[in-house]
Amino acid sequence: QVHLVESGGGLVQAGGSLRLSCAGSVDAICISIVGWYRQAPGKERELVATITAGGSTKYADSVKGRFTITRDNAKNTQYLQMDGLKPEDTAVYYCNQRRTCPGEYEYDYWGRGTQVTVSS
């Protein structure tokens, strides 16, 4: 089983920066696309950013130009650099890793979430 451990959340003023980390098991296999999601109070979970094993990235329109997702395949660790934070970025951020082994159904692993609060 893959256990994801998130870190880096906290309280920051508008315009500030945070860097989130998500460490997965180095023994994990078939990890393909990984990403970050967030959920604000009273709202549904939304996709923030994804990155493939080859480094192709996608971002939600709301964070383009401000957030950067990266990954270290050898360490099975992913990061989310958040710059120019806005109060509307306040949410619990979750990391996700997708297991895609040949001949198997895809399976998603999730972290427990880390709180990001941006004050105005």
Side-chain angles (χ1 to χ4, degrees), residues 29-49:
I29 60 173
C30 306
I31 302 300
S32 54
I33 296 176
V34 305
W36 290 92
Y37 296 74
R38 67 186 182 187
Q39 187 168 24
K43 300 183 65 177
E44 295 185 351
R45 181 189 65 183
E46 66 173 342
L47 175 66
V48 176

Side-chain angles (χ1 to χ4, degrees), residues 4-111:
L4 305 182
V5 179
E6 299 148 329
S7 62
L11 175 65
V12 66
Q13 293 184 339
S17 298
L18 286 173
R19 186 176 189 247
L20 306 182
S21 299
C22 174
S25 173
V26 297
D27 296 324
I29 60 173
C30 306
I31 302 300
S32 54
I33 296 176
V34 305
W36 290 92
Y37 296 74
R38 67 186 182 187
Q39 187 168 24
K43 300 183 65 177
E44 295 185 351
R45 181 189 65 183
E46 66 173 342
L47 175 66
V48 176
T50 62
I51 183 169
T52 69
S56 298
T57 59
K58 292 184 178 180
Y59 297 92
D61 289 340
S62 59
V63 306
K64 286 181 180 177
R66 299 188 298 118
F67 290 10
T68 304
I69 185 172
T70 57
R71 68 189 291 179
D72 185 328
N73 292 335
K75 298 194 297 185
N76 193 26
T77 300
Q78 64 204 74
Y79 309 91
L80 185 68
Q81 177 67 42
M82 303 184 293
D83 298 318
L85 284 163
K86 304 175 180 179
E88 49 263 46
D89 294 319
T90 296
V92 177
Y93 284 70
Y94 300 90
C95 64
N96 166 265
Q97 296 188 352
R98 176 160 291 179
R99 172 177 167 136
T100 312
C101 289
E104 297 182 1
Y105 288 105
E106 293 183 333
Y107 188 88
D108 287 338
Y109 297 97
W110 294 91

